[in-house]
Amino acid sequence: MVMLDAGSTRSTRSTNLLEVEGLRKWFRIKRSILDILHGKQEGVVKAVDDVSFSVKQGSTFVLAGESGSGKSTIARLILRAIEPDGGSIRFAGRDVLSLDKRGLMWFRRSAQMIHQDPYSSLNPRMKVISIVGEPLEVHGIKDRREKEEMVFKALEEVRLEPVEEIAYRYPHMLSGGQRQRVAIARALVLKPMLIVADEPVSMLDLSVRAEILELMQNLKVKHNITYIYITHDLSTARYFGDSIAILYKGKIVEMGSIDDVLNEPLHPYTQALIDAIPEPDPASRLRDKVIRIRASTSISMDEANDHGCRFYARCPYAMDICREEPKLLEVKNGHLVSCFLYKSSV
Ligand code: SF4
């Protein structure tokens, strides 16, 4: 079986930490009585549909797309917060989906998550020392002194100082940026190999975003951490990512190195996303747009899920052949796209 690889990342010499193959998660939609009376059958949303990629150790792999594209569902599947309907996940050479209880404990230590909202993800009734120390207890580190040392070390790593003071504060006594640093310290305290960061800066002020991303970048270099960075914001993806997959309605439509995909986007959807990035230069703001996507009206969600290219209803280049489903093919070295406008290079 061929593993699709995002190709020439900035960490090409390292090995794959994570390999995802044919991952699938479909959700049933319940119909209302009115729908049933109108003859509509029970529907299915293919939230994640045959998704494959690999992530090199010490690199940042970006999952990008609009809300509903499946990126957060993929994160939850990888971390085994929900079970897939099909596919495989290998982490550090081990089959994640068939781990026994002990193996699962090892996996849960090695793969951590940072959530989007630093306001709701931290328990407001717990002090920082307990929030950051909780995962240590869960994983059997109960000695008070040892725990305190590890928590203080993690707080130092995320530059929350003086640590002795911050450790005894409650979340409401901290700014949004400080709270997200606490969340990072909590993810870091067990020295994970992989951190899945789900829109970690989207709820922060612009001025704080760059600081948090810089902190995460420094931690990556220092500890050889691998990130899966989930975002709808391609400008932070460009700063933070090594390779990227663009998702649309549960499918990867384009994948490759950050530079290849963002500098030379091939899929009409990727082009539209890049075109939508706000342009700081007013002169450039007036330039002709590369592409305008059509409003999705002519095809229902179920139809789009079941037949052909999922971007068909919105694509200005749609052709008859697009009623069949395009495959994700390598069209340049390490640059893959799922669109009939391009031919495979191999
Ligand atoms: Fe557009 Fe067809 Fe390409 Fe889909 S396969 S993105 S409909 S040109």
Side-chain angles (χ1 to χ4, degrees), residues 94 99-110:
R94 297 177 72 177
L99 290 173
D100 59 14
K101 208 172 158 197
R102 222 170 129 194
L104 211 51
M105 281 296 273
W106 160 81
F107 177 65
R108 298 214 189 283
R109 272 184 87 126
S110 309

Side-chain angles (χ1 to χ4, degrees), residues 70-337:
K71 52 194 193 306
S72 294
T73 307
I74 293 173
R76 293 170 69 210
L77 289 167
I78 288 171
L79 293 174
R80 287 205 55 184
I82 52 173
E83 294 300 310
D85 296 321
S88 67
I89 302 167
R90 291 189 74 77
F91 177 78
R94 297 177 72 177
D95 178 358
V96 171
L97 298 177
S98 61
L99 290 173
D100 59 14
K101 208 172 158 197
R102 222 170 129 194
L104 211 51
M105 281 296 273
W106 160 81
F107 177 65
R108 298 214 189 283
R109 272 184 87 126
S110 309
Q112 295 289 318
M113 175 118 189
I114 301 169
H115 296 275
Q116 176 178 23
D117 185 354
Y119 297 90
S120 67
S121 65
L122 306 181
N123 187 332
R125 283 183 289 278
M126 284 167 80
K127 289 181 179 164
V128 168
I129 190 163
S130 305
I131 293 171
V132 178
E134 194 176 39
L136 295 172
E137 277 197 31
V138 171
H139 288 274
I141 300 165
K142 305 231 187 261
D143 180 76
R144 199 182 63 81
R145 245 196 138 84
E146 186 186 3
K147 224 170 54 182
E148 190 182 74
E149 243 174 59
M150 290 175 84
V151 171
F152 282 11
K153 180 91 185 43
L155 294 177
E156 261 172 38
E157 294 263 25
V158 299
R159 290 188 250 126
L160 274 174
E161 288 167 320
V163 291
E164 294 83 356
E165 271 181 38
I166 300 276
Y168 293 97
R169 289 188 190 162
Y170 288 97
H172 75 266
M173 299 160 86
L174 305 173
S175 68
Q178 285 177 319
R179 287 179 203 212
Q180 204 54 312
R181 284 173 195 264
V182 172
I184 296 170
R186 183 183 158 99
L188 206 63
V189 74
L190 287 166
K191 301 186 172 57
M193 288 186 267
L194 174 72
I195 293 181
V196 178
D198 190 355
E199 307 260 18
V201 295
S202 64
M203 296 193 73
L204 302 176
D205 291 343
L206 270 183
S207 56
V208 184
R209 286 183 193 180
E211 283 174 19
I212 297 291
L213 287 177
E214 191 189 350
L215 170 69
M216 289 172 66
Q217 181 70 17
N218 291 341
L219 292 170
K220 168 180 138 176
V221 173
K222 188 171 170 191
H223 299 293
N224 199 28
I225 294 170
T226 306
Y227 286 111
I228 293 184
Y229 178 61
I230 295 170
T231 188
H232 64 276
D233 176 3
L234 292 184
S235 47
T236 59
R238 186 189 289 279
Y239 168 78
F240 192 51
D242 295 300
S243 50
I244 186 166
I246 307 288
L247 285 149
Y248 187 76
K249 288 189 177 172
K251 284 262 182 200
I252 292 178
V253 296
E254 186 160 2
M255 181 161 66
S257 73
I258 279 283
D259 290 343
D260 283 351
V261 173
L262 299 190
N263 293 342
E264 282 182 69
L266 300 175
H267 197 280
Y269 176 62
T270 315
Q271 291 171 2
L273 285 182
I274 290 172
D275 206 35
I277 297 174
E279 200 45 87
D281 174 9
S284 316
R285 232 181 273 153
L286 295 175
R287 75 194 156 89
D288 283 343
K289 294 291 179 193
V290 179
I291 177 175
R292 295 181 191 284
I293 54 178
R294 298 184 343 222
S296 177
T297 51
S298 57
I299 238 176
S300 76
M301 190 169 182
D302 295 350
E303 278 177 280
N305 264 346
D306 284 342
H307 312 289
C309 172
R310 291 179 190 197
F311 196 55
Y312 180 88
R314 299 172 73 188
C315 182
Y317 308 118
M319 307 166 272
D320 278 349
I321 192 174
C322 307
R323 290 180 181 277
E324 290 167 32
E325 185 159 353
K327 287 192 167 60
L328 187 64
L329 300 172
E330 185 166 359
V331 295
K332 290 181 188 171
N333 190 19
H335 192 165
L336 297 92
V337 65

Side-chain angles (χ1 to χ4, degrees), residues 2-7 9 15-21 51-57 59-62 90 226-228 243-245 252 255-256:
V2 178
M3 173 59 63
L4 299 176
D5 198 316
T9 68
T15 51
N16 290 337
L17 177 67
L18 181 74
E19 292 177 343
V20 171
E21 183 72 38
V51 163
S52 303
F53 60 86
S54 58
V55 185
K56 288 184 167 50
Q57 189 154 16
S59 75
T60 299
F61 183 72
V62 181
R90 291 189 74 77
T226 306
Y227 286 111
I228 293 184
S243 50
I244 186 166
I252 292 178
M255 181 161 66

